């Protein structure tokens, strides 16, 4: 992502102020979502605030080369945040390269044989499990939590999530599948441990 | 498509990520399979539950102002450090250049003078009417000249 040119003289500063206004109009509406994403990544509110600020500064510097039609604003900002986070912890974010076209048969190797099993032990009324669901999500590894919440909260497509996380689409789908399964098993344990009875409703 | 095959596609189907052909095949299977239908419903239900429990997140109020100030600092920063071979040789790489405080206003003045002198006022004579019209001719970057008639105010009779 190309960085913007430095200000040179009064005329350039005027243009940058206008760009700042445009950038704020484009980016600040996504602040809450970005902060949530930062909390997911850092698991620390202070670091999350710093990460959000760093993200906005980096994005502003690269704003001159940003084209809205190519990239939605929120995935673009999230990608910057994701890169900034993993740069800060010195972790390589690059996954092994797989084919861009996702191979469902390759993905299916992860599935066990047998009939389709329900994700949960019963028809759950999710309202009873809001708090438990939050805890279960918090306990997921950050890679799973990231993909899960980008899918559920930000409603990103698989390809958009892959762009944000700079990983193949197959990795996104695999992590999403595992995250859902982990949540399901966690909630099954919750139900079993508390001996909760649920009513099976008709669908 | 049987249940085992559908399981490969259940998540992608629920998320609207299948191509047209696979989507049709999945729908045909679901029409006959309550268990797989329930699986799809649960994926959608989970998504709704996650959205409900996590989408009310709000950033701290002061963070918005903090970001605005940080962005403001980006457009008020001094000239970035420029690499200077001479300074590098003397071990002074990384020090910002010391620019004269008069340099910017003088530069701007020079630009204005250049801009004005680039407009050349060329008088032309209209023989038929016996008047002289002043044309403002702008010298463009590639050296070609374009002419815009300034019209009546420039006209004066030839003596």
């Amino acid at each position: 992502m190309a960085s913007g040119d430095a200000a040179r003289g009064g005329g350039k500063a005027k243009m940058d102020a206008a760009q700042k206004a445009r950038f704020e109009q484009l980016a600040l509406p996504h602040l809450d979502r970005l902060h949530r994403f930062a909390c997911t990544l850092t698991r620390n509110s202070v670091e999350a605030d710093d990460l959000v600020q760093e993200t906005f500064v980096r994005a502003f510097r690269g704003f001159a080369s940003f084209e809205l039609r190519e990239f939605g604003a929120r995935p673009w900002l999230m990608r910057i945040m994701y890169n900034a986070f993993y740069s800060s912890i010195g972790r390589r974010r690059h996954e092994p390269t797989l084919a861009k076209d996702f191979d469902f048969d390759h993905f299916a190797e992860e599935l066990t044989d047998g009939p389709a099993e329900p994700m949960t032990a019963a028809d759950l009324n999710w309202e009873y499990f809001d708090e438990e669901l939050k805890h279960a999500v918090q306990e997921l590894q950050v890679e799973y939590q990231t993909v899960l919440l980008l899918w559920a909260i930000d409603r990103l497509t698989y390809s958009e999530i892959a762009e944000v996380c700079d990983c193949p689409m197959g990795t996104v789908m695999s992590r999403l599948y595992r995250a859902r399964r982990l949540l399901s098993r966690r909630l099954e344990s919750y139900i079993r441990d508390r001996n909760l009875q649920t009513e099976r409703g008709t669908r | 498509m049987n249940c085992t095959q559908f399981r490969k596609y259940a998540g992608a189907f629920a998320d609207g990520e299948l191509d047209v052909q696979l989507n049709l095949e999945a729908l045909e299977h679901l029409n006959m399979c309550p268990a797989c239908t329930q699986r799809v419903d649960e994926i959608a239900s989970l998504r709704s539950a996650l959205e409900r429990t996590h989408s009310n997140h709000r950033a701290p109020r002061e963070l918005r102002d903090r970001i605005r100030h940080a962005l403001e600092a980006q457009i008020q920063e001094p000239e970035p450090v420029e690499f200077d071979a001479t300074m590098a040789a003397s071990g002074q790489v990384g020090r910002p250049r010391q620019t004269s405080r008069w340099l910017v206003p003088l530069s701007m003045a020079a630009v204005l003078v250049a801009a004005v002198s680039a407009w050349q006022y060329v008088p032309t004579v209209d023989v038929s009417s016996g008047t002289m019209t002043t044309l403002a001719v702008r010298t463009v970057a590639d050296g070609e000249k374009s002419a815009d008639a300034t019209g009546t105010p420039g006209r004066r009779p030839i003596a």
Side-chain angles (χ1 to χ4, degrees), chain A residues 65-121:
Chain A
S65 60
F66 170 70
E67 291 188 9
L68 188 61
R69 65 173 183 276
E70 178 187 333
F71 229 150
R74 187 151 23 109
W76 173 64
L77 291 164
M78 285 181 157
R79 176 165 185 175
I80 293 172
M81 176 175 283
Y82 193 87
N83 290 347
F85 172 69
Y86 280 101
S87 293
S88 72
I89 63 174
R91 188 191 295 185
R92 289 188 65 235
R93 53 175 171 73
H94 296 287
E95 300 290 330
T97 302
L98 293 179
K100 265 289 189 183
D101 292 330
F102 181 66
D103 182 358
F104 278 99
D105 289 328
H106 174 83
F107 176 61
E109 290 173 6
E110 299 184 16
L111 303 177
T112 56
D113 293 328
E117 56 194 54
M119 284 183 60
T120 54

Side-chain angles (χ1 to χ4, degrees), chain A residues 25-44:
Chain A
Q25 192 176 19
L26 179 79
L28 280 177
H30 301 292
L31 177 59
D32 291 336
R33 291 286 176 91
L34 285 167
H35 191 262
R36 183 203 52 73
F37 189 39
C39 290
T40 300
L41 292 171
T42 61
R43 299 177 186 250
N44 177 293

Side-chain angles (χ1 to χ4, degrees), chain A residues 50 53 105 117 126 158, chain B residues 8 15 39 45 52 66:
Chain A
D50 290 345
Q53 179 178 324
D105 289 328
E117 56 194 54
W126 287 100
Y158 293 171
Chain B
K8 288 189 297 184
D15 298 334
R39 185 177 185 84
S45 176
R52 187 182 63 250
R66 186 175 146 187

